[in-house]
Amino acid sequence: MGRPRLWRVVILVAALIYFFGPLVASIKYSLIQANGSYSLGNYAQILSNGALRSSMFTSLEIAGIAAVAVVALMLPTVVLVRLRLPQLTLLVEGVTILPIVVPPIVIAAGLAHLQGSAPEWLVRLWFNHPLPALTPVYVVLAMPFTYRALDTGVRAIDLRTLVDASRSLGASWFTTLTRVILPNVETAVLGAMFLTIALCLGEVVIATIMLYVTLPVQMIQVGAASPGISVAISILSFLFVFVLLFLLSFLAGRRRGSSSVRVI
Amino acid sequence: MSVMKRRAGASALAALASTACALAVGSVATASAGVNWSKVTSAKAGGGMAALIKAAKAEKTLNVIALPPNWANYGVEIRTFEKKYGIHVNSENPNGTSEQEIQALKQDKGRSAEPDVIDIGESYTATPGFSSLVAPYKVQSWSMIPKAAKAANGDWFNDYGGYISFGCDMNVIKKCPTSWKALLSPQYKGDVALNGAIGQAAAATDAVFAAGLNDGGSLNNVTPGIKFFQTLKSDGNFDSTDCNTLQVIVANQCPILINWDYLNSAKSYGLPANFAKHWKVVDPSGKEFAGYYVQAISAYAPHPAAARLWEEFLYSPQGQNIWLEGGARPIELPALVKAHKVNMAAYRKLPAVKGTPVLPTVPESTKAGTAIAAAFPA
Amino acid sequence: MGDPAARRRRGIARPAGAAWLGMLPFSAYVLIFLGLPLYEVIHGAFTNDSERLTLSNFSAIFSQSQYLIPLENSLILSAWTAALGAIFGTWLAAAVVASPAGSMLRRVVSSASAVLAYFAGVPLAFALIAALGRPPGGVITTWLKHIGIDLYASGFNISSLFGVGLAYVYFQIPMMVILITPALEGLRPQWQEAAENLGATKLAYLRHVAVPVMAPAFIGALLVLFGNAFGAYATALALVGSAIPLLPAAIESAINGNVLVNEDRIAFALGVEMILVVMIVMVLYGLVQRRARRWLQ
């Protein structure tokens, strides 16, 4: 590759300053204690908080299921539209862009209305725990960028050839999707799953209105006690999700060279 | 085809949910000894305080909503109640608005997380259909609550209040204004901030009301107040930062914060000590505007006995004094002082009311709130 | 595609309607979990309090400046933050893709981008206040004041539409990085080598190969960024408060604010207005894509 070019260095340094500058500035406030001194006390307090731990498991469950579900739902749809139903492209793109455009407060209001007019047995069955109630909604919220990322990924490979080759070798559609297409759009799938996980671990509006205690909701509650703690929580949650995704990127394993197309 | 898919989906969801339900916190109250606590209108009618305490303990949980821990010492109220009765308090949406509390009552029937009790701005009792959302209840100390401060049938009752005050960040400004008129001075360009949005939050709306009272207005005429704030905005003295959290205030974004005195109080609100050294609170001269909040019990409370016990706790001398220690004025304060049950040290710490105290009635609050909201759309 | 003769040639036998059946899971899911909540909104927008069909909510929001100003502000803000996010996001993604896949830089950037894309709301607002807030609170503004540049004296305020825009760009760029990276990876280095062998300059390669190939993905991502900014609210709320003149704020204040003056339906009408705006943008987007495709042949 040789020495990194100027255009790369410039943007990478600029990005570093723009993104990490404000974060570093926040860190100063996260160290403020009630008596005015600076120390890591806030961080210690947060890490030992039991309520945060239980809401963390709830949110991780929701995030894991939503990330898998959204890809399982969208990848076949993207492939189908590209291969067989291109006339539906604009319609599907329009439908999948809606969740990101309609403000969460409106979705929350609509959802709360629905809950209010649903029969009580359904409310007790479905709305009483965040896992069944929030996961489907988060999958919907994840659709816009999932569709876009997967569509971009699928456009970048020679879908028709891959599918024809795989099918003519006798593979079923399921095998074609999981063992032929999926490995070739790995970056797109990972990107979509990462964004979905980050969404689930950061969504507060709907969870708060619907009175569920997920990790981000709990963090706000814990942070209400002191200014230092609430800022410390933001920093910690940033680190937590970052480390989680960083480790997940290793699970995805195989090196992808952009010049080769893998078929297993 | 799609209907079958939906039904299949619903039963799959049901299977998932019933396993998930096992994890759900909070149990629906079981009628103890045949008493349906959601219809009980006083402790006596339910069989006495001992029966109430027993039933509440059996329910194990209490759902409260929109109670920030540093708001009038609610954090201490909650912790004290939990410790005293062993009932877990589920504090939902602590930064919520009165409007959200009412929406939750309307939309969360059947949810184990439905709020049991609410604490809302007084004007919200005029919501159409309010009576059907709440269950009437009269606490044991009912007679200690002034007549004008409660609904005759027990639907709602005032809990605590305070006066509109100015909180000054002396790190940013040189002199703290002592009157409403002083806020218009050019030296305060971009400095005057509020807690919440005018027309949406009680503190901000009542700031407009208070300004009007001191500029030629009256309890029935808020137009001078509206004009005052419109002038503040057009002159550039108004700062649109929403000063409703500790961290924003500590970050010096609220040079002059118009807020309830119990929220402007550094110690009660939780401002860190080294910041509080440069924070000054002033009760502006002239007519002092008082605002009180209101308690009510949900008609469909999942934990009706615990809800009623919470009210009894809040209106006991212990509960009232905890609010007092948070810098707020509990509604039973005059009666407590007379009965020598008040925490004298905390009572003396209350900011002195130098001017004329003014307390609007519910209809006056509602009329003013509506007019102000109409004049300051988002 | 659906030509029976072609299918026979490929040796793949498929009933004609099978493709449509394949759309069923997606359609059913969207109908239930997006359609039902949105139905409440749409129904509320087109009815009045006595449950009769009416257009009065819409005539209100399209005639009063208190609703037109937020619409204008939201459109402008979404457009420029999406544009900046798209340009700098692509630049950043290109810089990162130049590293081999699986390298530390790539992993860090892809993980950080996902987190930063959703860092919006109170944490982001506060981070910007911590950096650019009024002195002595803001670290950077205080330092600038120290060396003689007083931003706040010259009228800058992080609690403003411009400050909100700065915050939006903060999460638009990472979102773009994630959306455009697959397309950048699809640019085979062999193409650049082939172009250079044929005598093309770097610029010519960019203009005739890279840009046309990337165009659909770029425009599609731009659309997502626009929608992202258009519907965003938590950050603006935390930075400026609910009085900010943006469309989601108008909706929230109508829903949250005055229970006494029932403005629920205005809020729903505003929600439908947002959907309408996006539908118009989608039509423009479709036209641009079609034109781009023709231009690229």
Side-chain angles (χ1 to χ4, degrees):
Chain A
M1 197 85 265
R3 233 175 67 238
R5 326 264 191 81
L6 186 65
W7 67 272
R8 289 186 70 202
V9 175
V10 164
I11 190 68
L12 286 171
V13 170
L16 205 67
I17 297 177
Y18 188 68
F19 291 112
F20 290 97
L23 284 177
V24 168
S26 300
I27 289 183
K28 166 189 164 208
Y29 283 94
S30 71
L31 299 173
I32 293 181
Q33 296 293 82
N35 62 4
S37 62
Y38 287 79
S39 82
L40 287 172
N42 291 329
Y43 289 97
Q45 250 184 295
I46 297 165
L47 290 170
S48 56
N49 187 313
L52 274 181
R53 235 170 285 143
S54 73
S55 62
M56 177 177 76
F57 285 123
T58 307
S59 281
L60 283 176
E61 269 182 303
I62 295 176
I65 298 179
V68 171
V70 75
V71 173
L73 186 66
M74 297 306 296
L75 185 60
T77 309
V78 167
V79 168
L80 191 61
V81 169
R82 283 285 293 166
L83 273 187
R84 293 260 193 273
L85 300 166
Q87 64 269 42
L88 282 187
T89 307
L90 215 54
L91 177 64
V92 175
E93 286 187 349
V95 164
T96 53
I97 200 86
L98 279 182
I100 214 177
V101 163
V102 180
I105 189 77
V106 177
I107 298 182
L111 204 59
H113 251 253
L114 255 186
Q115 182 192 243
S117 44
E120 250 188 70
W121 61 267
L122 186 63
V123 172
R124 253 195 293 273
L125 204 57
W126 189 10
F127 283 102
N128 257 344
H129 193 271
L131 195 59
L134 283 181
T135 312
V137 180
Y138 287 175
V139 167
V140 167
L141 290 182
M143 276 204 289
F145 50 80
T146 302
Y147 181 85
R148 181 57 47 203
L150 291 179
D151 186 61
T152 304
V154 153
R155 273 175 202 267
I157 63 176
D158 192 351
L159 187 66
R160 178 145 302 280
T161 313
L162 280 176
V163 168
D164 285 353
S166 160
R167 295 281 291 160
S168 61
L169 285 172
S172 68
W173 274 108
F174 182 73
T175 312
T176 308
L177 266 175
T178 52
R179 297 182 71 192
V180 176
I181 299 178
L182 191 58
N184 281 296
V185 290
E186 197 175 76
T187 311
V189 168
L190 267 183
M193 291 180 82
F194 279 12
L195 278 176
T196 307
I197 294 176
L199 178 149
C200 293
L201 293 176
E203 202 286 320
V204 272
V205 176
I206 299 179
T208 303
I209 300 270
M210 299 294 289
L211 303 179
Y212 295 115
V213 184
T214 55
L215 179 64
V217 171
Q218 184 74 284
M219 288 192 325
I220 291 181
Q221 282 195 23
V222 174
S226 97
I229 289 194
S230 64
V231 183
I233 280 189
S234 311
I235 306 279
L236 272 184
S237 84
F238 177 88
L239 283 174
F240 172 68
V241 182
F242 172 76
V243 169
L244 177 70
L245 297 180
F246 186 72
L247 292 174
L248 279 176
S249 76
F250 284 99
L251 273 181
R254 289 179 303 242
R255 304 288 173 93
R256 304 256 69 212
S258 55
S259 51
S260 59
V261 169
R262 302 286 218 91
V263 188
I264 290 284
Chain B
M1 189 75 177
S2 44
V3 174
M4 272 160 62
K5 254 247 146 47
R6 221 173 290 167
R7 281 210 207 110
S11 50
L13 271 168
L16 175 64
S18 36
T19 30
C21 266
L23 306 164
V25 178
S27 49
V28 178
T30 45
S32 55
V35 177
N36 181 1
W37 284 98
S38 30
K39 297 276 189 285
V40 166
T41 53
S42 73
K44 200 154 126 202
M49 273 303 283
L52 176 58
I53 295 176
K54 187 153 168 247
K57 282 187 172 172
E59 287 174 354
K60 294 204 200 88
T61 311
L62 174 74
N63 294 334
V64 300
I65 185 170
L67 300 184
N70 58 351
W71 180 291
N73 231 359
Y74 256 119
V76 176
E77 295 274 14
I78 291 175
R79 279 196 302 276
T80 313
F81 181 80
E82 281 183 320
K83 226 171 163 177
K84 186 167 178 174
Y85 296 109
I87 297 174
H88 170 71
V89 175
N90 188 15
S91 181
E92 301 165 339
N93 194 1
N95 298 316
T97 61
S98 296
E99 158 74 39
Q100 287 174 334
E101 296 184 61
I102 298 209
Q103 294 286 34
L105 287 189
K106 284 188 191 162
Q107 291 162 344
D108 291 300
K109 261 182 261 172
R111 283 282 304 275
S112 57
E114 160 141 23
D116 290 310
V117 290
I118 57 174
D119 179 10
I120 54 178
E122 210 174 49
S123 50
Y124 286 89
T125 56
T127 310
F130 186 74
S131 277
S132 58
L133 294 174
V134 299
Y137 186 76
K138 296 189 182 173
V139 289
Q140 284 193 304
S141 52
W142 186 252
S143 53
M144 284 166 81
I145 305 175
K147 197 145 147 239
K150 58 196 181 189
N153 68 345
D155 267 352
W156 57 265
F157 25 100
N158 278 146
D159 42 25
Y160 58 83
Y163 289 90
I164 290 283
S165 66
F166 297 166
C168 299
D169 187 349
M170 304 312 288
N171 277 318
V172 181
I173 61 173
K174 306 249 175 356
K175 188 166 169 295
C176 192
T178 49
S179 69
W180 286 94
K181 203 150 163 211
L183 290 178
L184 293 168
S185 151
Q187 66 174 300
Y188 295 127
K189 253 208 180 40
D191 284 346
V192 182
L194 292 173
N195 171 7
I198 302 176
Q200 295 178 47
T205 309
D206 286 337
V208 178
F209 204 169
L213 284 173
N214 284 292
D215 200 12
S218 73
L219 285 173
N220 276 302
N221 175 21
V222 285
T223 317
I226 293 173
K227 285 216 171 61
F228 181 88
F229 269 84
Q230 283 168 341
T231 313
L232 263 183
K233 288 191 175 195
S234 59
D235 280 354
N237 277 23
F238 185 74
D239 181 350
S240 49
T241 312
D242 190 353
C243 296
N244 66 348
T245 55
L246 275 169
Q247 66 237 53
V248 172
I249 299 175
V250 172
N252 303 114
Q253 299 306 296
C254 312
I256 302 173
L257 175 52
I258 307 178
N259 206 352
W260 299 120
D261 51 9
Y262 53 87
L263 295 180
N264 263 338
S265 152
K267 184 164 165 297
S268 315
Y269 199 53
L271 291 171
N274 71 335
F275 178 83
K277 265 188 265 178
H278 304 282
W279 181 260
K280 199 160 161 229
V281 183
V282 156
D283 266 331
S285 59
K287 300 216 179 74
E288 303 235 19
F289 184 92
Y292 278 76
Y293 283 79
V294 143
Q295 289 280 325
I297 297 182
S298 162
Y300 300 97
H303 317 101
R308 285 156 177 78
L309 183 60
W310 170 252
E311 298 300 341
E312 294 292 353
F313 171 72
L314 290 177
Y315 287 85
S316 67
Q318 184 181 25
Q320 296 276 299
N321 276 317
I322 291 176
W323 275 331
L324 183 62
E325 284 148 26
R329 285 153 214 280
I331 194 66
E332 290 174 358
L333 186 59
L336 282 173
V337 172
K338 227 173 172 182
H340 301 291
K341 293 233 181 84
V342 75
N343 177 338
M344 279 317 272
Y347 182 47
R348 287 204 196 94
K349 280 219 190 89
L350 283 179
V353 181
K354 283 172 255 138
T356 338
V358 176
L359 175 62
T361 61
V362 172
E364 284 166 346
S365 271
T366 310
K367 184 166 158 224
T370 314
I372 293 171
F376 290 95
Chain C
M1 228 141 317
D3 172 22
R7 265 187 278 135
R8 255 180 273 120
R9 256 179 274 127
R10 283 201 301 274
I12 303 166
R14 273 186 78 77
W20 293 93
L21 217 60
M23 286 300 289
L24 205 52
F26 172 74
S27 316
Y29 194 90
V30 162
L31 260 170
I32 300 176
F33 294 107
L34 181 62
L36 278 182
L38 280 189
Y39 169 74
E40 296 283 346
V41 173
I42 297 174
H43 177 255
F46 281 99
T47 54
N48 61 16
D49 282 334
S50 20
E51 294 289 318
R52 303 258 228 81
L53 276 178
T54 173
L55 283 177
S56 62
N57 301 316
F58 288 97
S59 63
I61 65 176
F62 283 115
S63 58
Q64 297 172 23
S65 67
Q66 77 175 84
Y67 300 116
L68 289 174
I69 293 179
L71 174 64
E72 184 186 325
N73 288 334
S74 281
L75 285 172
I76 297 176
L77 187 71
S78 307
W80 73 260
T81 56
L84 284 186
I87 295 170
F88 286 103
T90 308
W91 188 358
L92 182 58
V96 171
V97 163
S99 284
S103 75
M104 202 51 55
L105 178 67
R106 285 261 216 136
R107 290 188 197 281
V108 167
V109 170
S110 78
S111 312
S113 296
V115 191
L116 287 168
Y118 276 99
F119 194 61
V122 172
L124 175 60
F126 186 75
L128 284 179
I129 289 178
L132 293 169
R134 175 201 301 278
V139 169
I140 296 179
T141 38
T142 309
W143 172 68
L144 283 175
K145 189 167 174 192
H146 197 64
I147 62 173
I149 311 172
D150 192 342
L151 284 178
Y152 272 77
S154 37
F156 170 79
N157 192 332
I158 193 71
S159 266
S160 61
L161 270 179
F162 179 68
V164 172
L166 277 182
Y168 283 11
V169 171
Y170 196 95
F171 58 71
Q172 296 282 53
I173 293 180
M175 166 102 34
M176 185 65 179
V177 167
I178 296 194
L179 293 178
I180 205 73
T181 301
L184 284 171
E185 284 184 343
L187 284 179
R188 314 263 187 275
Q190 297 97 313
W191 298 348
Q192 180 163 11
E193 288 159 16
E196 279 170 8
N197 283 342
L198 289 168
T201 61
K202 184 82 185 279
L203 203 65
Y205 161 73
L206 282 175
R207 190 168 149 235
H208 292 284
V209 182
V211 168
V213 169
M214 299 273 303
F218 183 87
I219 300 173
L222 192 62
L223 175 71
V224 172
L225 289 186
F226 178 85
N228 197 18
F230 199 56
Y233 181 49
T235 315
L237 179 67
L239 257 183
V240 181
S242 36
I244 192 172
L246 288 176
L247 212 45
I251 295 181
E252 169 130 3
S253 86
I255 290 184
N256 268 348
N258 240 315
V259 166
L260 313 166
V261 179
N262 196 342
E263 289 202 321
D264 260 20
R265 294 172 195 281
I266 298 279
F268 292 148
L270 289 171
V272 173
E273 179 186 74
M274 293 187 77
I275 298 177
L276 278 173
V277 166
V278 171
M279 296 216 289
I280 296 175
V281 171
M282 285 296 309
V283 168
L284 291 172
Y285 162 76
L287 290 172
V288 170
Q289 288 280 37
R290 208 170 303 161
R291 170 112 346 134
R293 222 177 301 143
R294 236 174 280 145
W295 170 62
L296 299 176
Q297 301 307 25

